[in-house]
Amino acid sequence: MFDNLTSRLSVVIKTLRGEARLTEANIQDALREVRMALLEADVALPVVKEFIARVKEKAVGKEVMSSLSPGQALVGVVHQELIAIMGGEKTDINLAAVPPAVILMAGLQGAGKTTSSGKLAKWLMEQKKKKVLLVSCDIYRPAAIQQLELLAKQIGAAFFPVQAGQQPKEIAAAALDFARRHFHDVMIVDTAGRLAIDEAMMAEISALETLLKPIETLFVVDAMQGQDAVNTAKAFAEALPLTGIILTKLDGDARGGAALSVLQVTGKPIKFAGVAEKMTGLEAFHPDRMASRILGMGDVLGLIEEAQRGVDQQAAENLAKKIKSGKSFDLNDFKMQFQQMRNMGGMGAMMDKLPTQLTQAAQKVKMDDKVMGRTEGIINAMTPQERVKPEILKASRKRRIATGAGVTVQEVNRLLAQFEQTQKMMKMMNKGGMAKMLRGMKGMLPGMR
C-alpha cells in the first residue's frame, strides 16, 4: 500500500547531487517532493506541515559524509522523522494486571474489530502463551456473535456463550465473572460498531469501559479510510481513554496516510498492524521497520521473524539429516520448500518486506505465487517413484505429466532444470563448499524462471 509513497521518495535520492552540506536552497525541491508524496498518500495536512518543518530543521547545515550522496543524507533525516511520527519506539501490549487482563476493542463497523479480536487472541496464545477468552458484546450486527464464536473455534480459544436478550453490560459482567472462575489470563471484548460516530454508541462503550476497567482499550482503524480514519480516531480519543491502535488492511491498495496520521492526532501508539486476512495476519507494529519499508529499504528483521514462525522446524531438521546421511535431495523435498514458503504468507508477503531493488529484481525473473503454484502442480502430477527418481523422466513421461498438470512440456523441463541446480547446491552444502555453493546458486530460488 506504500508503493506510491516509496517511489516518490526514491526520487529524492536522485535529485540532490554533489553537495558537501545540506542547505535550505539545495533541499527545497527535494522537500517539495516529500511534501507532495505525503499529501498524495492521504496524510493529514497538519501532520505533513509539522513533518516537513522537523525534517528541514534537522537537515539544514547537516554535513554530508564522503560515503553518502546528499540525497542519501536527506533520506537519513526523513527516515528518522518517519520513525518519530509513527511513535519512535515499539510499544508492547500491556498485560500487567490481575488476571484476567481485559482488552476492550473499539471502532466503527467494518473496520475489522471482530476479525482483529480473533487475530489478537491467536497472537497472545502463540507469542505470549496466554489462556484467552473471547467475548462479543455486539448484539446489533447480524451474526456478529456467531462470527466471533467461529473464529474462536478456528484458533482454539475459549468463547463466552451469550444468552438471547442479554444486554452488552450484562454480557460483560457475566463474562468477567466467568473468566475469573476459569482462570483465563486475558479477556478480549469485541464491542458494537456503527456506520458513523453517534452518541448512543459512545455512551454504550463508555459504560463498558467503566464496568470492565480494561488494561488496554484498543482503537481498531481501517487504513483504507484515509482522512476519515483521522476524524474517527479523534472522536474516539475524546470519548475513551485509548491506550493504543490496531491498524487493519495494511495489505490493501490504500495510500497509507492513516498510518502516519492517526498516532499524531490521538497521541496513542500503533500497537498492531493487520497485514493479511488469515488469522496469522497480525503483526506487532515496529515504527523503525515500517519507516524502512516506506523508504524502500525493506524489513529484513520482519522477514526473519516470519520465517521462524512459518517454517516447520522439524521438517527442516529432517531434511538436513537426510542430506547429511548422503541420501539425495528429491522432488518431494523440493515441493516441501514451496509449502514452507506458503506458510510464510507466500511470495507476495515476502516481497513486501524485501528492499525495493530486490523486489524489482524478483519481478523481472517472474517470481510469484502463480509460478510456485504451477510448479507444485507439476510435481503433484508425478508418480511417487518419479518424485524419488526424477532421472527416469523421459519424453513420454514428461508429456503425461504436462497434460496432467495443464502445462507445456517446456515448463516441466524448466522445473527439472531448477531442481537439478538445487540438488547440486544441496550436495555442495553437504561437502562444506560454501564458495562453490554461492557460485552455483544462480536461478535456484523456487518460482524463478
Side-chain angles (χ1 to χ4, degrees):
M1 68 181 291
F2 288 112
D3 285 353
N4 186 49
L5 186 54
T6 300
S7 60
R8 287 295 297 259
L9 291 177
S10 65
V11 173
V12 172
I13 300 175
K14 297 169 186 172
T15 52
L16 285 172
R17 296 183 185 279
E19 302 283 346
R21 183 186 293 271
L22 295 178
T23 65
E24 199 163 337
N26 67 19
I27 66 169
Q28 190 172 353
D29 290 339
L31 284 180
R32 189 181 298 115
E33 280 293 327
V34 174
R35 186 186 295 108
M36 289 301 297
L38 293 171
L39 289 172
E40 282 180 10
D42 248 353
V43 181
L45 183 60
V47 178
V48 174
K49 284 182 175 176
E50 186 185 338
F51 180 80
I52 294 296
R54 281 162 61 173
V55 170
K56 195 172 182 179
E57 184 186 333
K58 298 269 178 71
V60 172
K62 186 178 174 70
E63 296 285 345
V64 178
M65 291 169 60
S66 57
S67 58
L68 297 177
S69 71
Q72 288 167 332
L74 180 61
V75 165
V77 178
V78 171
H79 183 246
Q80 291 304 314
E81 288 307 313
L82 276 175
I83 294 171
I85 207 172
M86 288 189 287
E89 295 291 318
K90 172 183 171 282
T91 307
D92 285 321
I93 191 163
N94 182 13
L95 299 175
V98 176
V102 179
I103 299 173
L104 190 67
M105 308 289 274
L108 292 182
Q109 189 173 310
K113 286 191 307 301
T114 305
T115 308
S116 294
S117 297
K119 288 178 180 178
L120 181 58
K122 185 172 177 64
W123 187 88
L124 288 167
M125 289 161 66
E126 291 183 351
Q127 302 294 319
K128 302 290 184 182
K129 310 300 178 194
K130 298 295 181 185
K131 184 181 178 183
V132 181
L133 176 69
L134 282 166
V135 182
S136 177
C137 288
D138 187 355
I139 61 171
Y140 309 104
R141 182 168 65 88
I145 296 169
Q146 291 89 327
Q147 182 190 354
L148 191 62
E149 187 175 5
L150 281 171
L151 290 175
K153 280 181 185 172
Q154 188 181 330
I155 62 174
F159 176 78
F160 181 73
V162 178
Q163 305 302 319
Q166 277 187 310
Q167 293 303 301
K169 282 181 75 173
E170 291 176 71
I171 296 168
L176 188 58
D177 179 58
F178 179 90
R180 284 174 181 151
R181 286 187 289 108
H182 290 81
F183 307 105
H184 286 93
D185 301 313
V186 181
M187 183 172 102
I188 299 174
V189 182
D190 180 29
T191 62
R194 300 287 190 280
L195 293 174
I197 299 159
D198 62 51
E199 287 183 22
M201 173 195 183
M202 289 303 183
E204 183 181 289
I205 199 166
S206 294
L208 286 174
E209 196 276 331
T210 304
L211 172 70
L212 294 169
K213 298 180 175 56
I215 187 76
E216 288 275 12
T217 302
L218 299 177
F219 174 57
V220 182
V221 61
D222 182 350
M224 298 177 81
Q225 280 184 287
Q227 291 297 305
D228 280 347
V230 177
N231 301 330
T232 309
K234 192 182 290 184
F236 271 88
E238 288 167 0
L240 286 170
L242 298 179
T243 57
I245 294 157
I246 296 180
L247 204 58
T248 64
K249 304 177 191 175
L250 269 181
D251 56 328
D253 58 1
R255 288 170 287 184
L260 302 179
S261 304
V262 169
L263 183 136
Q264 285 294 98
V265 171
T266 62
K268 306 302 175 187
I270 300 170
K271 295 199 173 183
F272 292 95
V275 294
E277 287 184 24
K278 56 187 179 181
M279 285 294 101
T280 52
L282 189 75
E283 292 180 354
F285 188 82
H286 296 262
D288 54 341
R289 297 183 191 179
M290 185 56 75
S292 294
R293 283 170 72 175
I294 289 170
L295 291 172
M297 300 172 189
D299 176 11
V300 178
L301 281 174
L303 191 59
I304 292 167
E305 285 174 6
E306 193 67 42
Q308 288 171 338
R309 283 196 300 270
V311 170
D312 184 337
Q313 297 294 336
Q314 189 59 52
E317 284 173 22
N318 290 343
L319 177 60
K321 284 176 187 173
K322 179 181 177 180
I323 302 296
K324 216 167 188 179
S325 67
K327 291 178 184 175
S328 65
F329 178 84
D330 61 34
L331 282 160
N332 288 316
D333 302 317
F334 195 52
K335 180 185 169 185
M336 187 186 76
Q337 307 305 306
F338 294 104
Q339 291 167 342
Q340 299 276 36
M341 204 173 286
R342 192 178 292 114
N343 290 342
M344 290 170 60
M347 189 60 73
M350 290 173 63
M351 300 251 281
D352 282 345
K353 291 185 170 70
L354 288 172
T356 304
Q357 296 92 329
L358 289 179
T359 303
Q360 289 168 349
Q363 285 166 346
K364 282 178 187 173
V365 293
K366 294 184 175 62
M367 278 174 71
D368 60 35
D369 292 322
K370 285 182 181 175
V371 175
M372 284 170 57
R374 278 202 302 275
T375 305
E376 203 170 337
I378 294 169
I379 298 173
N380 288 338
M382 297 176 186
T383 65
Q385 186 190 20
E386 287 166 347
R387 293 181 207 176
V388 176
K389 292 183 177 179
E391 60 272 12
I392 66 172
L393 291 173
K394 305 303 178 192
S396 60
R397 288 178 184 260
K398 288 177 183 176
R399 280 196 297 272
R400 190 204 81 239
I401 291 164
T403 304
V407 297
T408 63
V409 174
Q410 286 88 340
E411 285 182 271
V412 176
N413 287 331
R414 192 180 297 127
L415 162 68
L416 293 172
Q418 288 174 355
F419 167 71
E420 283 172 18
Q421 287 180 310
T422 309
Q423 197 176 41
K424 284 177 190 172
M425 183 186 80
M426 292 298 178
K427 285 178 183 174
M428 289 176 192
M429 283 175 69
N430 193 31
K431 292 174 183 174
M434 184 59 74
K436 285 182 188 176
M437 185 196 81
L438 290 172
R439 281 198 298 273
M441 275 184 73
K442 188 179 178 184
M444 280 184 223
L445 280 170
M448 278 181 68
R449 60 187 175 94

